[in-house]
Amino acid sequence: MKLQGWVSFSNLAAGVLSSASWRLVALSSSSSSSSSQKHVCLSRQSVANMAEEAKKLAAYAAVDNHVQNNQVVGVGSGSTIVYAVDRLGENPGLLLVTCCPISGLVLPQARQLILQHGLALSDLDRHPELDVAIDGADEVDADLTLIKGGGGCLTQEKIVAGCAKHFVVIADYRKDSKALGQQWKKGVPIEVIPMAYVPVSRTIAKRFGGEANLRMAVSKAGPVVTDNSNFILDWKFEHADNWKEVNTAIKMIPGVVETGLFVGMAERAYFGMEDGSVQVRDPPVN
Ligand code: 5RP
Protein backbone atom coordinates (compact mmCIF):
# COMPACT_ATOMS: atom_id res chain seq x y z
CA MET A 1 0.00 0.00 0.00
CA LYS A 2 1.37 3.42 -0.93
CA LEU A 3 0.68 6.38 1.30
CA GLN A 4 0.99 9.91 0.05
CA GLY A 5 1.84 12.96 2.07
CA TRP A 6 1.90 13.00 5.82
CA VAL A 7 0.32 10.49 8.15
CA SER A 8 0.33 10.87 11.88
CA PHE A 9 0.72 7.83 14.11
CA SER A 10 -1.21 9.14 17.06
CA ASN A 11 -1.12 5.86 18.98
CA LEU A 12 2.68 5.98 18.98
CA ALA A 13 2.59 9.65 19.79
CA ALA A 14 0.43 9.07 22.83
CA GLY A 15 2.92 6.53 24.13
CA VAL A 16 5.82 8.84 23.71
CA LEU A 17 4.16 11.93 25.03
CA SER A 18 3.23 10.17 28.22
CA SER A 19 6.81 9.03 28.76
CA ALA A 20 8.60 12.12 27.53
CA SER A 21 9.66 14.84 29.89
CA TRP A 22 9.52 18.01 27.84
CA ARG A 23 10.77 20.64 30.24
CA LEU A 24 9.64 24.17 29.61
CA VAL A 25 11.90 26.83 31.04
CA ALA A 26 10.53 30.30 31.63
CA LEU A 27 13.10 33.04 31.17
CA SER A 28 12.26 36.35 32.79
CA SER A 29 13.30 39.52 31.05
CA SER A 30 15.88 41.41 33.07
CA SER A 31 13.84 44.57 33.56
CA SER A 32 10.39 43.28 34.35
CA SER A 33 8.67 40.31 35.89
CA SER A 34 5.51 40.93 33.86
CA SER A 35 4.23 37.66 32.42
CA SER A 36 3.84 39.30 29.01
CA GLN A 37 7.58 39.84 28.97
CA LYS A 38 8.47 36.28 29.80
CA HIS A 39 9.83 34.06 27.09
CA VAL A 40 9.22 30.37 27.20
CA CYS A 41 11.74 28.14 25.54
CA LEU A 42 12.90 24.58 25.65
CA SER A 43 16.14 23.97 27.50
CA ARG A 44 19.01 22.58 25.47
CA GLN A 45 18.72 19.30 27.34
CA SER A 46 15.04 19.06 26.44
CA VAL A 47 15.76 19.68 22.76
CA ALA A 48 18.28 16.82 22.84
CA ASN A 49 15.77 14.59 24.63
CA MET A 50 13.13 15.51 22.10
CA ALA A 51 15.37 14.58 19.19
CA GLU A 52 16.21 11.24 20.81
CA GLU A 53 12.53 10.50 21.41
CA ALA A 54 11.82 11.45 17.80
CA LYS A 55 14.49 9.04 16.54
CA LYS A 56 13.03 6.28 18.68
CA LEU A 57 9.50 6.92 17.44
CA ALA A 58 10.58 6.79 13.81
CA ALA A 59 12.65 3.65 14.33
CA TYR A 60 9.93 1.77 16.19
CA ALA A 61 7.32 2.70 13.58
CA ALA A 62 9.52 1.50 10.72
CA VAL A 63 10.34 -1.81 12.39
CA ASP A 64 6.73 -2.41 13.41
CA ASN A 65 5.44 -1.66 9.91
CA HIS A 66 8.07 -3.31 7.74
CA VAL A 67 9.70 -6.21 9.55
CA GLN A 68 8.11 -9.63 9.97
CA ASN A 69 9.20 -12.85 11.60
CA ASN A 70 12.05 -14.79 10.02
CA GLN A 71 13.10 -12.00 7.68
CA VAL A 72 16.59 -10.98 6.66
CA VAL A 73 16.99 -7.33 7.61
CA GLY A 74 19.71 -4.90 6.53
CA VAL A 75 20.82 -2.43 9.17
CA GLY A 76 22.76 0.77 8.55
CA SER A 77 24.72 2.90 10.98
CA GLY A 78 24.29 6.05 13.02
CA SER A 79 22.52 7.05 16.22
CA THR A 80 18.95 6.53 14.96
CA ILE A 81 19.52 2.94 13.93
CA VAL A 82 20.30 2.09 17.56
CA TYR A 83 16.59 2.38 18.32
CA ALA A 84 15.69 0.17 15.37
CA VAL A 85 18.05 -2.54 16.60
CA ASP A 86 16.53 -2.20 20.08
CA ARG A 87 13.14 -2.91 18.56
CA LEU A 88 14.44 -5.69 16.32
CA GLY A 89 16.01 -7.22 19.42
CA GLU A 90 12.52 -8.01 20.66
CA ASN A 91 12.17 -10.50 17.78
CA PRO A 92 14.89 -13.15 18.07
CA GLY A 93 13.77 -14.88 14.85
CA LEU A 94 15.36 -12.24 12.64
CA LEU A 95 18.62 -12.46 10.73
CA LEU A 96 20.45 -9.17 10.49
CA VAL A 97 22.93 -8.02 7.87
CA THR A 98 24.83 -4.88 8.63
CA CYS A 99 27.26 -2.56 6.94
CA CYS A 100 30.47 -1.41 8.63
CA PRO A 101 31.16 -4.89 10.02
CA ILE A 102 34.72 -4.23 11.11
CA SER A 103 34.74 -0.51 11.63
CA GLY A 104 36.70 1.11 14.37
CA LEU A 105 35.70 4.52 13.07
CA VAL A 106 31.98 4.59 12.54
CA LEU A 107 29.77 4.92 15.56
CA PRO A 108 27.66 3.32 16.79
CA GLN A 109 28.58 -0.19 15.80
CA ALA A 110 25.58 -1.89 14.30
CA ARG A 111 27.35 -5.20 14.44
CA GLN A 112 28.03 -4.87 18.14
CA LEU A 113 24.48 -3.73 18.75
CA ILE A 114 23.13 -6.75 16.93
CA LEU A 115 25.29 -9.12 18.93
CA GLN A 116 24.41 -7.34 22.19
CA HIS A 117 20.76 -8.00 21.46
CA GLY A 118 21.41 -11.67 20.79
CA LEU A 119 20.27 -11.35 17.19
CA ALA A 120 21.71 -13.53 14.45
CA LEU A 121 24.27 -11.82 12.25
CA SER A 122 24.83 -12.60 8.59
CA ASP A 123 26.46 -10.98 5.57
CA LEU A 124 25.86 -10.38 1.88
CA ASP A 125 27.88 -13.46 0.89
CA ARG A 126 25.30 -15.65 2.59
CA HIS A 127 22.29 -13.38 2.10
CA PRO A 128 22.75 -11.21 -1.00
CA GLU A 129 19.03 -10.48 -1.05
CA LEU A 130 17.49 -8.76 1.96
CA ASP A 131 13.80 -8.52 2.76
CA VAL A 132 14.12 -4.99 4.04
CA ALA A 133 16.87 -2.51 4.90
CA ILE A 134 16.45 0.23 7.50
CA ASP A 135 18.83 3.15 7.89
CA GLY A 136 19.10 6.72 9.08
CA ALA A 137 19.92 9.74 6.93
CA ASP A 138 21.51 13.14 7.28
CA GLU A 139 18.83 14.81 5.18
CA VAL A 140 15.69 13.70 3.33
CA ASP A 141 14.14 15.93 0.67
CA ALA A 142 10.61 16.07 -0.71
CA ASP A 143 11.43 13.44 -3.37
CA LEU A 144 12.99 11.10 -0.80
CA THR A 145 16.44 11.81 -2.16
CA LEU A 146 18.85 11.39 0.74
CA ILE A 147 22.19 12.69 1.85
CA LYS A 148 23.97 9.99 3.81
CA GLY A 149 27.51 9.41 5.00
CA GLY A 150 27.74 11.84 7.89
CA GLY A 151 29.14 8.89 9.80
CA GLY A 152 31.42 7.88 6.93
CA CYS A 153 29.72 4.61 6.03
CA LEU A 154 27.98 5.65 2.80
CA THR A 155 29.39 3.02 0.43
CA GLN A 156 28.53 0.01 2.53
CA GLU A 157 25.18 1.55 3.47
CA LYS A 158 24.35 2.02 -0.20
CA ILE A 159 25.33 -1.55 -0.99
CA VAL A 160 23.12 -2.89 1.81
CA ALA A 161 20.20 -0.68 0.76
CA GLY A 162 20.65 -1.74 -2.86
CA CYS A 163 20.38 -5.42 -1.90
CA ALA A 164 17.04 -4.93 -0.15
CA LYS A 165 13.58 -5.46 -1.63
CA HIS A 166 12.44 -2.50 0.45
CA PHE A 167 14.57 0.36 1.78
CA VAL A 168 13.07 2.38 4.61
CA VAL A 169 14.56 5.53 6.16
CA ILE A 170 14.21 6.63 9.77
CA ALA A 171 14.96 10.14 10.96
CA ASP A 172 14.03 12.81 13.42
CA TYR A 173 12.33 16.06 12.39
CA ARG A 174 15.66 17.89 11.93
CA LYS A 175 16.45 15.81 8.83
CA ASP A 176 13.22 16.69 7.05
CA SER A 177 13.83 19.08 4.19
CA LYS A 178 12.15 20.42 1.07
CA ALA A 179 15.43 20.58 -0.83
CA LEU A 180 18.83 19.13 0.01
CA GLY A 181 21.11 21.59 1.74
CA GLN A 182 18.36 23.32 3.68
CA GLN A 183 19.00 21.32 6.85
CA TRP A 184 22.31 19.52 6.34
CA LYS A 185 25.09 22.08 5.99
CA LYS A 186 28.12 19.79 5.91
CA GLY A 187 27.82 18.89 2.25
CA VAL A 188 27.45 15.66 0.28
CA PRO A 189 29.96 13.00 1.41
CA ILE A 190 31.89 11.43 -1.46
CA GLU A 191 34.15 8.44 -0.87
CA VAL A 192 37.33 8.59 -2.95
CA ILE A 193 40.46 6.54 -3.53
CA PRO A 194 43.10 8.33 -1.39
CA MET A 195 45.55 9.06 -4.25
CA ALA A 196 42.76 10.75 -6.22
CA TYR A 197 41.32 13.10 -3.62
CA VAL A 198 42.95 16.27 -4.95
CA PRO A 199 42.02 15.81 -8.64
CA VAL A 200 38.51 14.65 -7.71
CA SER A 201 38.03 17.66 -5.44
CA ARG A 202 39.18 20.04 -8.20
CA THR A 203 37.00 18.38 -10.84
CA ILE A 204 33.90 18.56 -8.68
CA ALA A 205 34.44 22.24 -7.86
CA LYS A 206 35.10 23.06 -11.52
CA ARG A 207 32.16 21.15 -12.97
CA PHE A 208 29.52 21.56 -10.28
CA GLY A 209 30.60 24.58 -8.23
CA GLY A 210 31.06 24.82 -4.48
CA GLU A 211 33.99 23.13 -2.80
CA ALA A 212 34.83 19.54 -1.89
CA ASN A 213 36.96 19.36 1.23
CA LEU A 214 38.85 16.41 2.64
CA ARG A 215 37.17 15.24 5.85
CA MET A 216 39.60 15.33 8.75
CA ALA A 217 39.40 13.03 11.76
CA VAL A 218 38.45 14.55 15.10
CA SER A 219 40.25 12.49 17.70
CA LYS A 220 43.04 11.29 15.43
CA ALA A 221 45.56 13.17 13.31
CA GLY A 222 44.96 13.21 9.57
CA PRO A 223 41.99 12.45 7.33
CA VAL A 224 39.09 10.14 8.11
CA VAL A 225 39.76 6.70 6.64
CA THR A 226 36.66 4.71 5.73
CA ASP A 227 35.98 1.02 6.31
CA ASN A 228 37.14 0.53 2.73
CA SER A 229 40.44 2.34 3.43
CA ASN A 230 39.41 5.38 1.40
CA PHE A 231 39.06 9.12 2.07
CA ILE A 232 35.90 11.23 2.19
CA LEU A 233 35.34 14.57 0.49
CA ASP A 234 32.47 16.69 1.79
CA TRP A 235 31.09 18.61 -1.17
CA LYS A 236 29.51 21.89 -0.11
CA PHE A 237 27.42 22.47 -3.19
CA GLU A 238 25.94 25.79 -4.23
CA HIS A 239 23.07 24.62 -6.36
CA ALA A 240 21.80 21.49 -8.07
CA ASP A 241 18.56 20.84 -9.94
CA ASN A 242 18.76 17.21 -10.87
CA TRP A 243 20.35 15.02 -8.21
CA LYS A 244 20.12 11.90 -10.35
CA GLU A 245 22.25 13.48 -13.07
CA VAL A 246 24.68 15.01 -10.60
CA ASN A 247 25.09 11.70 -8.78
CA THR A 248 25.76 9.82 -12.02
CA ALA A 249 28.21 12.44 -13.25
CA ILE A 250 30.19 12.47 -9.99
CA LYS A 251 30.37 8.69 -9.98
CA MET A 252 31.95 8.80 -13.44
CA ILE A 253 34.94 10.83 -12.20
CA PRO A 254 37.95 8.49 -11.94
CA GLY A 255 38.78 7.91 -8.28
CA VAL A 256 35.24 8.32 -6.98
CA VAL A 257 34.08 5.19 -5.17
CA GLU A 258 30.57 6.25 -4.16
CA THR A 259 28.51 9.28 -3.25
CA GLY A 260 26.28 9.91 -0.26
CA LEU A 261 23.43 10.83 -2.62
CA PHE A 262 20.75 8.13 -2.44
CA VAL A 263 18.49 8.87 -5.39
CA GLY A 264 15.37 6.79 -6.06
CA MET A 265 16.31 4.21 -3.44
CA ALA A 266 14.13 4.89 -0.40
CA GLU A 267 10.54 3.80 -0.69
CA ARG A 268 9.39 5.35 2.56
CA ALA A 269 10.69 7.71 5.25
CA TYR A 270 9.53 7.85 8.84
CA PHE A 271 10.09 11.10 10.70
CA GLY A 272 9.72 11.35 14.45
CA MET A 273 8.30 14.80 15.07
CA GLU A 274 8.66 17.36 17.85
CA ASP A 275 5.06 16.89 18.94
CA GLY A 276 5.54 13.16 19.47
CA SER A 277 3.85 12.08 16.25
CA VAL A 278 5.40 10.04 13.46
CA GLN A 279 4.99 11.23 9.91
CA VAL A 280 5.43 9.13 6.83
CA ARG A 281 6.66 10.23 3.42
CA ASP A 282 6.59 8.24 0.20
CA PRO A 283 8.18 9.40 -3.05
CA PRO A 284 5.93 11.52 -5.24
CA VAL A 285 4.10 9.72 -8.03
CA ASN A 286 5.40 10.99 -11.38
C1 5RP B 1 26.31 7.21 8.40
C2 5RP B 1 24.97 7.65 7.95
C3 5RP B 1 23.91 7.78 8.98
O1 5RP B 1 22.83 6.99 8.64
C4 5RP B 1 23.51 9.23 9.04
O2 5RP B 1 24.67 9.99 9.31
C5 5RP B 1 22.45 9.46 10.12
O3 5RP B 1 23.02 9.31 11.37
P1 5RP B 1 22.20 9.62 12.68
O4 5RP B 1 21.13 8.58 12.79
O5 5RP B 1 23.22 9.53 13.79
O6 5RP B 1 21.64 11.01 12.57
O7 5RP B 1 24.72 7.90 6.80
O8 5RP B 1 27.22 7.19 7.35
Side-chain angles (χ1 to χ4, degrees):
M1 181 186 64
K2 284 273 176 195
L3 296 178
Q4 291 306 313
W6 296 101
V7 177
S8 178
F9 283 73
S10 53
N11 53 337
L12 279 158
V16 161
L17 283 176
S18 60
S19 66
S21 54
W22 304 152
R23 191 155 54 92
L24 289 173
V25 179
L27 299 177
S28 302
S29 79
S30 56
S31 58
S32 168
S33 60
S34 154
S35 61
S36 65
Q37 290 177 296
K38 284 181 179 175
H39 306 282
V40 178
C41 68
L42 287 167
S43 73
R44 193 173 292 180
Q45 182 60 40
S46 294
V47 171
N49 288 345
M50 193 185 286
E52 288 308 308
E53 288 291 348
K55 291 177 191 180
K56 182 175 174 181
L57 273 175
Y60 277 35
V63 171
D64 293 352
N65 287 319
H66 294 274
V67 180
Q68 291 164 14
N69 288 340
N70 303 315
Q71 284 193 325
V72 185
V73 183
V75 174
S77 72
S79 56
T80 315
I81 202 70
V82 174
Y83 296 106
V85 179
D86 283 347
R87 193 61 156 178
L88 291 166
E90 294 171 20
N91 185 342
L94 299 170
L95 192 55
L96 268 61
V97 175
T98 181
C99 56
C100 306
I102 53 167
S103 170
L105 295 169
V106 181
L107 295 173
Q109 307 299 326
R111 181 176 182 274
Q112 287 167 357
L113 279 170
I114 290 166
L115 294 174
Q116 272 167 22
H117 281 80
L119 291 160
L121 190 60
S122 187
D123 52 43
L124 295 177
D125 294 350
R126 284 172 284 181
H127 291 93
E129 188 170 298
L130 313 175
D131 292 303
V132 58
I134 302 176
D135 203 353
D138 299 306
E139 192 171 22
V140 184
D141 79 3
D143 295 330
L144 249 59
T145 298
L146 317 176
I147 293 179
K148 285 184 52 56
C153 200
L154 55 139
T155 301
Q156 294 191 19
E157 287 174 338
K158 201 180 264 191
I159 293 168
V160 169
C163 290
K165 290 179 205 157
H166 307 285
F167 175 44
V168 178
V169 178
I170 51 178
D172 64 75
Y173 52 90
R174 299 169 304 175
K175 316 292 184 62
D176 177 16
S177 178
K178 282 198 171 62
L180 295 184
Q182 281 181 353
Q183 302 284 6
W184 180 251
K185 304 295 182 190
K186 295 182 180 173
V188 175
I190 298 168
E191 184 161 347
V192 295
I193 300 291
M195 69 167 284
Y197 88 87
V198 172
V200 170
S201 169
R202 287 164 61 98
T203 303
I204 288 172
K206 200 167 148 192
R207 286 180 55 187
F208 305 103
E211 53 183 54
N213 300 315
L214 184 64
R215 189 184 296 182
M216 302 306 285
V218 176
S219 50
K220 156 190 172 295
V224 166
V225 179
T226 70
D227 296 282
N228 315 305
S229 304
N230 295 317
F231 289 172
I232 291 180
L233 295 173
D234 287 303
W235 174 41
K236 293 192 177 162
F237 56 91
E238 287 163 352
H239 177 75
D241 282 328
N242 187 326
W243 286 115
K244 190 174 177 184
E245 283 179 12
V246 169
N247 182 50
T248 304
I250 292 176
K251 285 195 69 168
M252 292 300 290
I253 300 170
V256 170
V257 175
E258 190 52 270
T259 82
L261 289 165
F262 284 47
V263 187
M265 295 186 78
E267 72 173 46
R268 182 166 290 180
Y270 287 84
F271 296 96
M273 304 305 289
E274 288 164 285
D275 65 1
S277 65
V278 175
Q279 296 190 335
V280 177
R281 179 177 299 157
D282 288 347
V285 178
N286 292 320

